[in-house]
Structure formats: structure tokens, C-alpha cells
Amino acid sequence: MYFDFDHMERLGARSHSFDAGEKIFLQNEHGNVLYVVRTGRVEVITFGKVLEKVGANGIVGEIAFVDGGPRSAAALASEKTDVMVLDKDAFSAIIREDPDFALHVMRVMAERLRRLNLVGHH
């Protein structure tokens, strides 16, 4: 899925840049925003192990955003990375205009949870 980042910004998302090696969030932090990667690459890490590398148009931070719990992993920018930061209000505004965005976030989350479950059982 490809996103209209300018439109997201008009609906209340904010743009943010991270330098290579900079933390986006840490495991167990409270998570009240999710991130959509504009450019660059984000490594999702738990206990020092890279679970996933997320590039442009990828989403990170959705699990804690959706359930209000702590971050299940850390996220670090592995290169200079620009993201859109969506809080609940921006997310709500976006899905009012494009309900498929919510389905996309749920699909991403489901794929990650399936992968984690498969990894955890082997």
C-alpha cells in the first residue's frame, strides 16, 4: 500500500526525522502513536535480535497503539529516516476518509503476530 503523506499531514499527522542509529521507541515504553515510514529504514528489535526491517510505506508501533499496552519491541532508524507520526486523532481522521487504512494496519499487525507465533513455536 502506498500512502499520500501530504494528505496524512493535512489530517493531523506530523512529520518527524530520525538520524541513523536514533531510537524511535524502546521496548516496554507506553505507545500512543504509530509511525508510517516515508523514507529510510527502521529496524524492529527485541532482546538484541532484529525481528524486521521496515522501509518506505511500512508501519511500526501499531500493536501498542491499538491495544494501549507497552511497546512489544524497540524501533531504531538504521539510516536517516522520515516518518509520519499518527496519534489517535490523526488516525481517526484518516480512517474516516479511508477505512481501508484501518484494514491495512490490522493486516500488518496480523502478519507480524503470525510471524512471531511461528517463530515462538520452533
Side-chain angles (χ1 to χ4, degrees):
M1 186 170 210
Y2 295 95
F3 301 113
D4 181 342
F5 296 111
D6 293 332
H7 188 64
M8 281 183 176
E9 205 157 15
R10 284 193 297 278
L11 292 173
R14 63 185 198 279
S15 187
H16 192 84
S17 295
F18 293 94
D19 291 326
E22 192 175 351
K23 80 165 176 77
I24 297 170
F25 55 80
L26 295 177
Q27 191 162 343
N28 295 317
E29 272 183 358
H30 176 67
N32 58 355
V33 296
L34 71 83
Y35 301 85
V36 182
V37 180
R38 274 183 101 142
T39 61
R41 187 160 301 278
V42 175
E43 290 185 344
V44 179
I45 301 167
T46 186
F47 301 109
K49 179 177 183 269
V50 176
L51 298 176
E52 189 172 354
K53 294 179 181 184
V54 180
N57 293 292
I59 293 171
V60 293
E62 77 290 342
I63 294 174
F65 176 78
V66 169
D67 76 1
R71 297 287 188 195
S72 57
L76 301 175
S78 57
E79 58 190 68
K80 180 160 176 25
T81 299
D82 294 323
V83 298
M84 294 305 296
V85 183
L86 280 64
D87 62 13
K88 299 270 189 220
D89 290 341
F91 183 77
S92 295
I94 291 166
I95 62 173
R96 271 195 299 277
E97 287 200 8
D98 182 11
D100 285 346
F101 182 72
L103 287 173
H104 178 70
V105 171
M106 286 187 269
R107 250 190 316 274
V108 168
M109 188 164 48
E111 287 167 9
R112 287 197 175 125
L113 292 172
R114 280 183 196 274
R115 254 197 321 275
L116 287 173
N117 285 337
L118 290 173
V119 169
H121 287 107
H122 294 334

